[in-house]
Amino acid sequence: MAAVIISGKDLSAQIREELKGRVARLKEKGVTPGLGVVLVGEDPASVSYVTAKAKGSEEIGMFEQTINLPASTAEAEILATVDRLNRDPKFNGILVQLPLPKGVSADKVIAFISPEKDVDGFHPINVGRLLRGEPCPLPCTPYGVVEMLTRAGHSPEGKHVVVCGRSNIVGKPLAALLIQKKKGANATVTVCHTGTKDLRSFTLQADILVAAMGAPKAITADMVREGCVVIDVGVNRVPDPAAAKGFRLVGDCDFEAIKEKAAAITPVPGGVGPMTVTMLLKNTVEAAERLAGISG
Ligand code: GUN
């Protein structure tokens, strides 16, 4: 039987409607949630992500400002920009779009963001809080994956989740989130990576398979168990002369073949991508609510 397609676009629209109401309540109290985005350089994928974040912020009634810096900007100036946003009460959330140009230490810049305004959840203090199960902003892509699973009726509780990829942005924080002894988590997690021998022997054991490797069609149908729930985090640009932009977006999974086997699968585009942006908006609204002494 063909898989159910889990639409991140539809789920996002639902969550953004909820957020609109929370922003309106904050505004009644004289608080407008604000997001500051720092974009260094003109990497086309980064520009596209930042545009989606700005558009999403506006749509739910938040204030958003993108600070565009040239690729040649010195690290000290990027740090000064972050410092300005840290001090400015208009901004409840700060995000520095990654990757940063060569010669700039992303670790140093991230550590400079005030942990209370770190809506990406990348600051080492927040990474530590996540691992310890303490309240903190949850990294947006892992948060979006868990929210998608739960809202689509595939709670990870008690399931074996196999995560392919060990990045600081997706694989590692997702594993940390899923092993929490909490509602919506409580999963058994296996993390596979480039050092894994016989990847297929692990992916075939998954109730839920998360592909976050950054390689087109890295997960093929023979690696997926019948009835598995597949979450495709990959966003890869592949050349396509027939497409207006000269490329199209594909995930890390062989979608067409896997959808004949899986119980459910997320598409690319329109799957995890919109959820990532939505969770960023949620983190920013929650940062503003905390400051205003309101609980969501
Ligand atoms: N680059 C790719 N994904 C992300 C993300 O979630 N946050 C930031 N800041 N940069 C990214």
Side-chain angles (χ1 to χ4, degrees), residues 32-117:
T32 301
L35 174 67
V37 176
V38 181
L39 174 63
V40 188
E42 289 167 3
D43 171 67
S46 291
V47 170
S48 148
Y49 292 142
V50 165
T51 306
K53 290 165 186 177
K55 193 163 162 260
S57 301
E58 271 171 34
E59 276 170 9
I60 64 160
M62 268 173 32
F63 164 71
E64 191 275 349
Q65 191 179 348
T66 300
I67 292 131
N68 291 282
L69 299 172
S72 58
T73 309
E75 188 179 274
E77 199 179 331
I78 300 171
L79 295 176
T81 305
V82 170
D83 188 45
R84 184 166 62 73
L85 297 176
N86 278 341
R87 291 165 190 273
D88 189 335
K90 280 202 303 295
F91 299 103
N92 302 100
I94 301 171
L95 175 151
V96 178
Q97 186 64 31
L98 302 176
L100 286 168
K102 266 203 203 96
V104 178
S105 162
D107 287 346
K108 205 164 163 186
V109 173
I110 288 167
F112 213 68
I113 299 171
S114 156
E116 281 62 49
K117 294 192 178 189

Side-chain angles (χ1 to χ4, degrees), residues 228-248:
C228 182
V229 173
V230 181
I231 306 291
D232 193 346
V233 180
V235 185
N236 307 290
R237 290 181 171 211
V238 296
D240 182 357
K245 291 181 178 167
F247 68 87
R248 70 195 154 84

Side-chain angles (χ1 to χ4, degrees), residues 14 32 35 74 76 84 113 129 134 159 219 226 228 235 246-247 250 253 274:
Q14 201 181 309
T32 301
L35 174 67
R84 184 166 62 73
I113 299 171
R129 286 176 177 151
E134 295 167 6
K159 303 277 171 57
I219 302 290
E226 196 85 35
C228 182
V235 185
F247 68 87
V250 300
C253 295

Side-chain angles (χ1 to χ4, degrees), residues 127-139:
V127 175
R129 286 176 177 151
L130 172 64
L131 206 57
R132 293 171 56 90
E134 295 167 6
C136 62
L138 302 176

